[in-house]
Amino acid sequence: MAKYQIETLLAAYKEKFDRDNFIKSLLMDNLLLIDIFDRSKKLHVELEVKRVAYLIELQKKNQDDAIGSIKNLFPDSQDFVTALDKKTIVVIKQLEAKTTESDLEKIAKKMVSVLKSDIGEEPIVAYGMTVEDLKDVSKSFKEAKMAQEVGKIFFQDRNVNSYNSLGIGRLIYQLPMPLCKLFISEIFRNVSLKDFDEETIETINKFFENSLNVSETSRQLFIHRNTLVYRLDKIQKITGLDLRVFDDAITFKIALMVSSYMQYVESLDYK
């Protein structure tokens, strides 16, 4: 009896180990189509099911406790939860046929909520687009990785980022650095964003947050309307761009995002 129990446990452990290796190889595009078909059949993993890849990035703690919490959240044997590195967990979630984009976001927010409650960690969660076939899971995984990176650059106030919601940030992220530098030099000429003080940067960001509304921006900054107008005039004098004009505001906003991207890339070069 004891021998049978041990053999059963060993078989279950081996299957779990094989499933983890299988999904990791799948994510890294290390499998041929025939391998995916054969191994999925042996491991009882369905091929044509709706799935999506989530990446959970922890800020402080390692993933040991976090993985336990996430596995409890997704006990279904068809959901895969595994460590990507010391700070990142990947979840391949099987979905119902009618799952919407809103449902995907709710799942991500649930992960954040559970980890905050269980281990006192507020992670950043990113996810890709849904796929219909197991062989395409790596595509959703790559999209999740891009959402994770783009979120770090442009959406630092978010704890959930989806590939579908990256907007122009996704485009800027894929621009070559020489083109970024050329664009910034043409827009700002001899001016650098480093020349702006914190007050000016706060004014610009708040003005954009309020859709170029002078009255609402001045109210939220607790300054007189004329003070805000003076600051906007000063920015126009320095850059040649009037943020009260839609086209100029769009140009300035894109320039800010390109600058953020360049700073991010430069920071990676120093690591």
Side-chain angles (χ1 to χ4, degrees):
M1 183 67 178
K3 180 182 178 182
Y4 173 76
Q5 290 177 331
I6 292 172
E7 288 176 347
T8 302
L9 288 172
L10 287 173
Y13 177 81
K14 183 178 185 302
E15 181 171 336
K16 177 181 177 301
F17 180 78
D18 288 344
R19 283 164 68 91
D20 278 353
N21 279 344
F22 171 57
I23 201 65
K24 285 181 178 179
S25 297
L26 185 66
L27 295 179
M28 300 304 168
D29 288 324
N30 290 336
L31 297 173
L32 299 174
L33 284 177
I34 187 64
D35 294 328
I36 295 174
F37 179 81
D38 287 343
R39 292 181 66 178
S40 64
K41 188 175 181 180
K42 290 177 181 176
L43 296 170
H44 312 292
V45 179
E46 295 184 58
L47 287 172
E48 296 181 355
V49 176
K50 195 173 184 178
R51 294 181 173 91
V52 66
Y54 286 92
L55 284 179
I56 305 171
E57 183 176 351
L58 304 170
Q59 303 302 300
K60 299 176 183 177
K61 301 182 180 179
N62 63 36
Q63 82 277 60
D64 294 339
D65 294 333
I67 284 182
S69 293
I70 296 300
K71 284 185 175 179
N72 288 335
L73 181 62
F74 304 122
D76 193 317
S77 62
Q78 291 298 316
D79 293 330
F80 295 93
V81 180
T82 189
L84 192 62
D85 55 47
K86 291 183 178 180
K87 294 292 183 181
T88 309
I89 299 169
V90 59
V91 178
I92 306 302
K93 183 79 179 73
Q94 182 167 307
L95 306 169
E96 296 181 0
K98 295 182 179 180
T99 302
T100 65
E101 181 69 24
S102 176
D103 294 328
L104 297 180
E105 184 177 5
K106 287 177 183 176
I107 293 171
K109 289 182 176 179
K110 184 65 175 177
M111 294 180 191
V112 174
S113 176
V114 165
L115 290 179
K116 187 175 181 180
S117 173
D118 287 359
I119 64 173
E121 171 76 86
E122 188 162 357
I124 297 173
V125 178
Y127 58 95
M129 296 176 66
T130 58
V131 294
E132 305 287 343
D133 196 295
L134 185 64
K135 66 179 173 56
D136 296 322
V137 162
S138 63
K139 180 175 181 289
S140 183
F141 171 68
K142 291 169 187 173
E143 291 168 348
K145 286 186 71 176
M146 180 180 286
Q148 182 186 54
E149 291 298 313
V150 174
K152 289 179 184 178
I153 303 169
F154 304 119
F155 311 113
Q156 296 177 4
D157 57 331
R158 297 184 191 174
N159 55 19
V160 171
N161 290 295
S162 74
Y163 181 79
N164 261 342
S165 67
L166 300 178
I168 196 172
R170 187 167 72 197
L171 175 63
I172 293 172
Y173 179 77
Q174 298 178 80
L175 292 176
M177 282 297 286
L179 186 59
C180 291
K181 291 177 180 179
L182 178 62
F183 174 73
I184 291 299
S185 66
E186 289 178 350
I187 297 301
F188 288 139
R189 298 172 190 172
N190 296 323
V191 180
S192 169
L193 284 179
K194 296 177 182 179
D195 297 333
F196 294 112
D197 55 33
E198 291 184 12
E199 182 182 79
T200 302
I201 294 296
E202 182 186 14
T203 299
I204 294 168
N205 289 333
K206 190 63 69 175
F207 193 53
F208 286 139
E209 285 175 20
N210 289 290
S211 302
L212 315 185
N213 187 307
V214 173
S215 298
E216 183 59 24
T217 302
S218 59
R219 186 186 70 81
Q220 291 190 21
L221 288 173
F222 303 103
I223 60 176
H224 193 277
R225 178 189 175 94
N226 290 344
T227 303
L228 176 58
V229 170
Y230 169 77
R231 291 182 185 178
L232 294 175
D233 287 340
K234 182 180 177 182
I235 294 168
Q236 182 181 5
K237 185 177 180 180
I238 296 173
T239 65
L241 297 172
D242 186 352
L243 302 190
R244 290 157 292 193
V245 176
F246 182 76
D247 286 350
D248 283 0
I250 288 293
T251 300
F252 198 99
K253 178 64 175 179
I254 293 173
L256 284 178
M257 295 180 73
V258 170
S259 295
S260 296
Y261 171 61
M262 290 171 61
Q263 290 173 11
Y264 175 77
V265 173
E266 288 170 359
S267 71
L268 295 179
D269 291 339
Y270 285 111
K271 289 182 179 180

